[in-house]
Amino acid sequence: VAAAPRLRRRIFRGDGDAAAVDAAVRSTTARLRYTKARKLLEAAMAAYETAQAAHERLDEKDPTFEASGTKLLARLDDVESQRGALVQLRSDVSDIKVAVHALDSELTTAKAELAAASSTIAENDRLREAIQEEERRAFREQRDAYLAEQLAEERHRIGADARADADKQLELVKQELEMEKAEKVHLLATVEHLEADAEHAQEMQREHDERAAGAVDFLFGRTRDRAPSRVAA
């Protein structure tokens, strides 16, 4: 219990998770390097086999026989060099895995001790929330930094053709958006035109109704004017 404050400060600073994230990053990097080294070894072995097959087809009296043998030895040296690098990287990956496991175990133990010690503290809930938030913040920072680094490396590896293709696709999307925008503008103009036509039609209908009403009033007026003359007759 006496060691709990020191453990809490360590976890609150995010040192444990930072070390774990760093170890995970190193493990990922080592695995990537191992995969790359394995492919290089496979390529070197393929080149050696090709050179060996070509050398075996030559007669010892062939003027290129000695040069072919020298080339074959160089290919063999390359294979051995790549194999040595692969073995070293395999060892590095194994060591990093052990380190990651040890860090995970240490961090788990520290958190367990902290949880046990914090149970006697009145502000346990507030402290635990603060610790978790700091851990999340530290992890996000480490994650964002790692992702940014990986993204930068990936962008660097992308060739000019891939970037040109991406730009072309982006341009197509922009053109489609512009076309959609133009269609929306055209549709809006059509709607406004239809509304204007409808308003004009309503105005013409009102004028027609007024003229019709005037004609009716006129006819009824004339009818009333003639009615007395018929009675008098």
Side-chain angles (χ1 to χ4, degrees):
V1 176
R6 183 173 65 255
L7 293 172
R8 285 198 299 272
R9 286 196 299 271
R10 180 183 178 188
I11 296 178
F12 186 80
R13 290 196 307 268
D15 294 345
D17 275 352
V21 170
D22 179 67
V25 170
R26 289 190 290 110
S27 177
T28 300
T29 302
R31 285 197 299 270
L32 291 174
R33 292 175 58 191
Y34 176 80
T35 301
K36 182 178 179 180
R38 186 178 60 189
K39 291 181 178 179
L40 290 175
L41 176 59
E42 292 173 353
M45 291 178 65
Y48 172 77
E49 291 173 357
T50 300
Q52 184 181 30
H55 182 71
E56 289 176 353
R57 287 194 298 268
L58 294 176
D59 187 87
E60 294 183 1
K61 297 180 180 180
D62 192 295
T64 62
F65 183 81
E66 184 176 351
S68 176
T70 301
K71 181 179 179 181
L72 184 61
L73 290 177
R75 295 296 186 187
L76 181 60
D77 290 341
D78 188 29
V79 169
E80 294 301 326
S81 175
Q82 296 296 342
R83 181 181 288 111
L86 187 65
V87 171
Q88 181 60 47
L89 285 172
R90 185 184 295 116
S91 176
D92 293 343
V93 170
S94 178
D95 292 342
I96 291 175
K97 286 182 179 179
V98 173
V100 170
H101 180 73
L103 284 171
D104 288 342
S105 177
E106 180 182 353
L107 187 59
T108 301
T109 301
K111 288 181 178 180
E113 293 178 0
L114 175 63
S118 297
S119 63
T120 61
I121 301 176
E123 297 181 353
N124 177 55
D125 293 339
R126 183 190 62 81
L127 179 61
R128 181 163 51 249
E129 180 61 27
I131 292 172
Q132 292 174 351
E133 179 59 29
E134 184 64 18
E135 288 178 347
R136 288 191 292 267
R137 183 196 62 78
F139 177 78
R140 286 194 299 268
E141 290 179 355
Q142 292 290 332
R143 179 199 61 193
D144 293 344
Y146 172 70
L147 291 177
E149 180 181 355
Q150 293 299 312
L151 181 59
E153 292 179 358
E154 185 64 23
R155 285 176 175 172
H156 181 71
R157 287 192 293 266
I158 294 176
D161 292 341
R163 289 195 297 271
D165 183 64
D167 292 340
K168 185 182 296 182
Q169 294 297 326
L170 179 60
E171 184 62 28
L172 290 176
V173 171
K174 289 181 178 179
Q175 291 177 3
E176 291 179 359
L177 291 176
E178 290 296 330
M179 291 177 63
E180 291 180 2
K181 181 178 179 182
E183 290 178 358
K184 290 180 180 179
V185 171
H186 177 69
L187 180 60
L188 180 60
T190 302
V191 171
E192 293 177 350
H193 181 69
L194 292 175
E195 290 177 347
D197 289 346
E199 184 177 353
H200 179 66
Q202 292 176 356
E203 182 64 26
M204 292 182 65
Q205 183 64 42
R206 284 195 297 270
E207 293 179 358
H208 179 270
D209 292 343
E210 291 175 358
R211 288 197 297 270
V216 171
D217 292 341
F218 176 74
L219 291 175
F220 275 107
R222 292 186 62 184
T223 302
R224 287 193 297 268
D225 291 344
R226 293 176 180 177
S229 62
R230 289 198 298 269
V231 173

